[in-house]
């Protein structure tokens, strides 16, 4: 998704819409690892077979 946002922003040209597309791409790029870590932590906490 972030590379797609960059490609569309380049195609759009140097306007405000391109900046918005780059911002959306940056948010998606940053949210991916954070979401993955949150799901991993929740899975570890809720795993009934895990010994403490």
């Amino acid at each position: 998704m972030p590379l797609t946002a960059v490609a569309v922003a380049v195609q759009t040209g140097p306007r405000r819409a391109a900046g918005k597309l780059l911002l959306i791409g940056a948010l998606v790029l940053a949210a991916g690892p954070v979401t993955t870590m949150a799901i991993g932590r929740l899975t570890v906490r809720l795993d009934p077979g895990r010994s403490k």
Side-chain angles (χ1 to χ4, degrees):
M1 174 69 182
L3 287 177
T4 304
V6 170
V8 173
V10 168
Q11 184 178 5
T12 301
R15 287 181 270 162
R16 190 173 185 167
K20 289 179 184 179
L21 288 169
L22 290 174
L23 178 64
I24 291 170
L27 289 173
V28 169
L29 181 66
V34 172
T35 304
T36 302
M37 286 189 296
I39 291 171
R41 286 183 179 183
L42 185 62
T43 302
V44 167
R45 284 186 182 173
L46 297 178
D47 186 13
R50 181 173 172 260
S51 61
K52 293 184 178 185

